[in-house]
Short mmCIF file of all heavy atoms in Angstrom, two decimals:
data_model
loop_
_atom_site.label_atom_id
_atom_site.label_comp_id
_atom_site.label_asym_id
_atom_site.label_seq_id
_atom_site.Cartn_x
_atom_site.Cartn_y
_atom_site.Cartn_z
N ILE A 128 24.26 -15.30 -7.33
CA ILE A 128 24.55 -15.45 -8.75
C ILE A 128 24.61 -14.07 -9.40
O ILE A 128 23.65 -13.31 -9.38
CB ILE A 128 23.48 -16.33 -9.43
CG1 ILE A 128 23.59 -17.78 -8.92
CG2 ILE A 128 23.63 -16.28 -10.95
CD1 ILE A 128 22.48 -18.69 -9.40
N LYS A 129 25.79 -13.77 -9.98
CA LYS A 129 25.99 -12.49 -10.64
C LYS A 129 26.44 -12.64 -12.08
O LYS A 129 26.38 -11.68 -12.85
CB LYS A 129 27.00 -11.66 -9.87
CG LYS A 129 26.54 -11.29 -8.46
CD LYS A 129 27.60 -10.51 -7.71
CE LYS A 129 27.14 -10.17 -6.29
NZ LYS A 129 28.20 -9.48 -5.52
N THR A 130 26.95 -13.83 -12.43
CA THR A 130 27.39 -14.08 -13.80
C THR A 130 26.77 -15.38 -14.29
O THR A 130 26.55 -16.31 -13.51
CB THR A 130 28.91 -14.19 -13.91
OG1 THR A 130 29.37 -15.29 -13.11
CG2 THR A 130 29.58 -12.90 -13.43
N ALA A 131 26.49 -15.44 -15.58
CA ALA A 131 25.87 -16.63 -16.15
C ALA A 131 26.48 -16.94 -17.51
O ALA A 131 26.90 -16.03 -18.24
CB ALA A 131 24.36 -16.45 -16.29
N GLY A 132 26.53 -18.22 -17.84
CA GLY A 132 26.93 -18.66 -19.16
C GLY A 132 25.83 -19.53 -19.74
O GLY A 132 25.20 -20.30 -19.01
N VAL A 133 25.59 -19.39 -21.03
CA VAL A 133 24.62 -20.22 -21.74
C VAL A 133 25.33 -20.88 -22.90
O VAL A 133 26.02 -20.20 -23.68
CB VAL A 133 23.43 -19.39 -22.27
CG1 VAL A 133 22.45 -20.28 -23.03
CG2 VAL A 133 22.72 -18.68 -21.12
N ILE A 134 25.21 -22.19 -23.03
CA ILE A 134 25.78 -22.89 -24.17
C ILE A 134 24.66 -23.58 -24.94
O ILE A 134 23.91 -24.37 -24.38
CB ILE A 134 26.90 -23.87 -23.76
CG1 ILE A 134 27.51 -24.52 -25.00
CG2 ILE A 134 26.43 -24.91 -22.76
CD1 ILE A 134 28.88 -25.12 -24.78
N GLY A 135 24.53 -23.18 -26.20
CA GLY A 135 23.43 -23.65 -27.04
C GLY A 135 22.50 -22.48 -27.33
O GLY A 135 21.98 -21.85 -26.39
N LEU A 136 22.31 -22.16 -28.60
CA LEU A 136 21.50 -20.99 -28.96
C LEU A 136 20.35 -21.39 -29.89
O LEU A 136 20.10 -20.75 -30.90
CB LEU A 136 22.38 -19.92 -29.61
CG LEU A 136 21.88 -18.47 -29.54
CD1 LEU A 136 21.72 -18.03 -28.09
CD2 LEU A 136 22.83 -17.54 -30.27
N GLY A 137 19.66 -22.47 -29.49
CA GLY A 137 18.41 -22.80 -30.14
C GLY A 137 17.31 -21.92 -29.58
O GLY A 137 17.57 -20.85 -29.01
N ALA A 138 16.07 -22.36 -29.70
CA ALA A 138 14.95 -21.54 -29.23
C ALA A 138 15.03 -21.28 -27.73
O ALA A 138 14.89 -20.14 -27.28
CB ALA A 138 13.63 -22.21 -29.59
N LEU A 139 15.27 -22.33 -26.93
CA LEU A 139 15.33 -22.13 -25.48
C LEU A 139 16.59 -21.39 -25.07
O LEU A 139 16.55 -20.54 -24.17
CB LEU A 139 15.23 -23.47 -24.76
CG LEU A 139 13.90 -24.19 -24.86
CD1 LEU A 139 13.88 -25.43 -23.97
CD2 LEU A 139 12.73 -23.28 -24.49
N GLY A 140 17.72 -21.70 -25.69
CA GLY A 140 18.95 -20.98 -25.36
C GLY A 140 18.80 -19.50 -25.62
O GLY A 140 19.26 -18.66 -24.82
N THR A 141 18.14 -19.16 -26.72
CA THR A 141 17.90 -17.74 -27.04
C THR A 141 16.96 -17.11 -26.02
O THR A 141 17.20 -15.98 -25.55
CB THR A 141 17.33 -17.60 -28.45
OG1 THR A 141 18.25 -18.17 -29.39
CG2 THR A 141 17.08 -16.15 -28.81
N LEU A 142 15.89 -17.82 -25.67
CA LEU A 142 14.94 -17.29 -24.67
C LEU A 142 15.65 -16.98 -23.36
O LEU A 142 15.51 -15.87 -22.81
CB LEU A 142 13.83 -18.32 -24.44
CG LEU A 142 12.94 -18.11 -23.20
CD1 LEU A 142 12.17 -16.80 -23.29
CD2 LEU A 142 11.99 -19.30 -23.00
N TYR A 143 16.43 -17.94 -22.84
CA TYR A 143 17.02 -17.73 -21.53
C TYR A 143 18.20 -16.76 -21.57
O TYR A 143 18.44 -16.02 -20.60
CB TYR A 143 17.41 -19.07 -20.90
CG TYR A 143 16.18 -19.91 -20.67
CD1 TYR A 143 16.04 -21.18 -21.23
CD2 TYR A 143 15.10 -19.40 -19.94
CE1 TYR A 143 14.88 -21.92 -21.05
CE2 TYR A 143 13.94 -20.13 -19.76
CZ TYR A 143 13.83 -21.39 -20.32
OH TYR A 143 12.68 -22.11 -20.15
N THR A 144 18.91 -16.70 -22.69
CA THR A 144 19.94 -15.66 -22.83
C THR A 144 19.30 -14.29 -22.81
O THR A 144 19.81 -13.36 -22.15
CB THR A 144 20.74 -15.86 -24.13
OG1 THR A 144 21.36 -17.15 -24.13
CG2 THR A 144 21.82 -14.80 -24.25
N HIS A 145 18.18 -14.15 -23.50
CA HIS A 145 17.46 -12.87 -23.51
C HIS A 145 17.03 -12.47 -22.10
O HIS A 145 17.27 -11.33 -21.66
CB HIS A 145 16.25 -12.98 -24.43
CG HIS A 145 15.28 -11.85 -24.33
ND1 HIS A 145 15.48 -10.62 -24.93
CD2 HIS A 145 14.08 -11.75 -23.67
CE1 HIS A 145 14.47 -9.83 -24.65
NE2 HIS A 145 13.60 -10.48 -23.90
N LEU A 146 16.40 -13.39 -21.38
CA LEU A 146 15.90 -13.07 -20.04
C LEU A 146 17.05 -12.78 -19.07
O LEU A 146 16.97 -11.84 -18.26
CB LEU A 146 15.04 -14.22 -19.51
CG LEU A 146 13.73 -14.48 -20.28
CD1 LEU A 146 13.03 -15.73 -19.73
CD2 LEU A 146 12.81 -13.27 -20.21
N LEU A 147 18.10 -13.57 -19.13
CA LEU A 147 19.23 -13.36 -18.22
C LEU A 147 19.97 -12.06 -18.55
O LEU A 147 20.41 -11.34 -17.64
CB LEU A 147 20.20 -14.55 -18.29
CG LEU A 147 19.68 -15.86 -17.69
CD1 LEU A 147 20.61 -17.01 -18.05
CD2 LEU A 147 19.51 -15.74 -16.18
N THR A 148 20.10 -11.75 -19.83
CA THR A 148 20.77 -10.51 -20.23
C THR A 148 19.98 -9.30 -19.77
O THR A 148 20.55 -8.31 -19.30
CB THR A 148 20.97 -10.48 -21.76
OG1 THR A 148 21.82 -11.58 -22.14
CG2 THR A 148 21.62 -9.18 -22.20
N GLU A 149 18.65 -9.38 -19.90
CA GLU A 149 17.83 -8.27 -19.40
C GLU A 149 18.00 -8.07 -17.90
O GLU A 149 17.98 -6.95 -17.40
CB GLU A 149 16.35 -8.55 -19.71
CG GLU A 149 15.94 -8.24 -21.14
CD GLU A 149 14.44 -8.08 -21.27
OE1 GLU A 149 13.70 -8.73 -20.49
OE2 GLU A 149 14.00 -7.29 -22.13
N ALA A 150 18.17 -9.17 -17.16
CA ALA A 150 18.26 -9.09 -15.70
C ALA A 150 19.64 -8.71 -15.20
O ALA A 150 19.76 -7.92 -14.26
CB ALA A 150 17.85 -10.45 -15.10
N LEU A 151 20.69 -9.25 -15.83
CA LEU A 151 22.05 -9.08 -15.30
C LEU A 151 22.89 -8.08 -16.08
O LEU A 151 23.91 -7.60 -15.57
CB LEU A 151 22.78 -10.43 -15.29
CG LEU A 151 22.23 -11.50 -14.35
CD1 LEU A 151 23.00 -12.81 -14.54
CD2 LEU A 151 22.31 -11.04 -12.90
N GLY A 152 22.50 -7.80 -17.31
CA GLY A 152 23.31 -6.94 -18.16
C GLY A 152 24.18 -7.77 -19.09
O GLY A 152 24.64 -8.86 -18.74
N ARG A 153 24.42 -7.24 -20.27
CA ARG A 153 25.13 -7.97 -21.32
C ARG A 153 26.50 -8.47 -20.88
O ARG A 153 26.89 -9.59 -21.23
CB ARG A 153 25.27 -7.06 -22.55
CG ARG A 153 25.96 -7.70 -23.74
CD ARG A 153 26.07 -6.70 -24.90
NE ARG A 153 26.64 -7.31 -26.09
CZ ARG A 153 27.93 -7.45 -26.31
NH1 ARG A 153 28.80 -7.03 -25.39
NH2 ARG A 153 28.38 -8.01 -27.43
N GLU A 154 27.24 -7.68 -20.17
CA GLU A 154 28.61 -8.06 -19.81
C GLU A 154 28.67 -9.22 -18.84
O GLU A 154 29.72 -9.87 -18.69
CB GLU A 154 29.36 -6.86 -19.23
CG GLU A 154 28.87 -6.37 -17.88
CD GLU A 154 27.68 -5.40 -17.95
OE1 GLU A 154 27.00 -5.36 -19.01
OE2 GLU A 154 27.46 -4.69 -16.96
N HIS A 155 27.54 -9.54 -18.20
CA HIS A 155 27.54 -10.60 -17.18
C HIS A 155 26.91 -11.90 -17.67
O HIS A 155 26.81 -12.86 -16.91
CB HIS A 155 26.78 -10.12 -15.94
CG HIS A 155 27.41 -8.92 -15.30
ND1 HIS A 155 28.69 -8.92 -14.81
CD2 HIS A 155 26.91 -7.67 -15.07
CE1 HIS A 155 28.97 -7.73 -14.30
NE2 HIS A 155 27.91 -6.95 -14.46
N VAL A 156 26.48 -11.94 -18.94
CA VAL A 156 25.85 -13.15 -19.51
C VAL A 156 26.60 -13.53 -20.78
O VAL A 156 26.56 -12.79 -21.77
CB VAL A 156 24.35 -12.93 -19.80
CG1 VAL A 156 23.74 -14.21 -20.36
CG2 VAL A 156 23.62 -12.49 -18.54
N LEU A 157 27.28 -14.66 -20.76
CA LEU A 157 28.11 -15.09 -21.88
C LEU A 157 27.40 -16.18 -22.68
O LEU A 157 26.94 -17.19 -22.12
CB LEU A 157 29.44 -15.66 -21.37
CG LEU A 157 30.21 -14.82 -20.34
CD1 LEU A 157 31.49 -15.54 -19.94
CD2 LEU A 157 30.51 -13.43 -20.90
N VAL A 158 27.29 -15.97 -23.99
CA VAL A 158 26.86 -17.04 -24.89
C VAL A 158 28.12 -17.77 -25.30
O VAL A 158 28.95 -17.25 -26.06
CB VAL A 158 26.11 -16.50 -26.11
CG1 VAL A 158 25.73 -17.64 -27.06
CG2 VAL A 158 24.85 -15.75 -25.68
N LEU A 159 28.31 -18.98 -24.79
CA LEU A 159 29.58 -19.69 -24.89
C LEU A 159 29.59 -20.66 -26.06
O LEU A 159 28.62 -21.38 -26.30
CB LEU A 159 29.85 -20.45 -23.59
CG LEU A 159 29.97 -19.56 -22.35
CD1 LEU A 159 29.78 -20.38 -21.08
CD2 LEU A 159 31.33 -18.87 -22.34
N ALA A 160 30.70 -20.69 -26.76
CA ALA A 160 30.88 -21.62 -27.88
C ALA A 160 32.35 -21.65 -28.25
O ALA A 160 33.17 -20.93 -27.65
CB ALA A 160 30.04 -21.17 -29.08
N ASP A 161 32.70 -22.49 -29.23
CA ASP A 161 34.08 -22.45 -29.72
C ASP A 161 34.23 -21.26 -30.67
O ASP A 161 33.26 -20.61 -31.05
CB ASP A 161 34.45 -23.77 -30.41
CG ASP A 161 33.56 -24.11 -31.61
OD1 ASP A 161 33.12 -23.18 -32.32
OD2 ASP A 161 33.28 -25.30 -31.82
N SER A 162 35.46 -20.95 -31.05
CA SER A 162 35.74 -19.72 -31.80
C SER A 162 35.02 -19.69 -33.14
O SER A 162 34.52 -18.63 -33.57
CB SER A 162 37.25 -19.56 -32.00
OG SER A 162 37.78 -20.68 -32.68
N ARG A 163 34.93 -20.84 -33.81
CA ARG A 163 34.27 -20.87 -35.12
C ARG A 163 32.78 -20.55 -35.00
O ARG A 163 32.23 -19.77 -35.79
CB ARG A 163 34.47 -22.24 -35.78
CG ARG A 163 33.85 -22.34 -37.16
CD ARG A 163 34.07 -23.71 -37.77
NE ARG A 163 35.48 -24.01 -37.92
CZ ARG A 163 35.94 -25.15 -38.41
NH1 ARG A 163 35.10 -26.11 -38.77
NH2 ARG A 163 37.24 -25.34 -38.53
N ARG A 164 32.13 -21.13 -33.99
CA ARG A 164 30.70 -20.88 -33.81
C ARG A 164 30.46 -19.43 -33.36
O ARG A 164 29.48 -18.80 -33.79
CB ARG A 164 30.11 -21.86 -32.81
CG ARG A 164 28.58 -21.85 -32.75
CD ARG A 164 28.06 -22.92 -31.82
NE ARG A 164 28.30 -24.25 -32.34
CZ ARG A 164 27.44 -24.93 -33.08
NH1 ARG A 164 26.27 -24.39 -33.42
NH2 ARG A 164 27.72 -26.15 -33.49
N VAL A 165 31.33 -18.92 -32.50
CA VAL A 165 31.20 -17.52 -32.07
C VAL A 165 31.27 -16.59 -33.27
O VAL A 165 30.49 -15.62 -33.38
CB VAL A 165 32.29 -17.17 -31.04
CG1 VAL A 165 32.40 -15.67 -30.85
CG2 VAL A 165 31.98 -17.83 -29.70
#
Side-chain angles (χ1 to χ4, degrees):
I128 292 173
K129 296 178 181 177
T130 61
V133 179
I134 183 160
L136 204 59
L139 292 186
T141 301
L142 166 63
Y143 297 122
T144 301
H145 169 78
L146 294 175
L147 291 170
T148 298
E149 281 199 330
L151 294 176
R153 182 181 184 276
E154 67 276 19
H155 299 300
V156 181
L157 311 179
V158 177
L159 298 161
D161 59 35
S162 58
R163 182 180 299 179
R164 191 175 292 268
V165 165

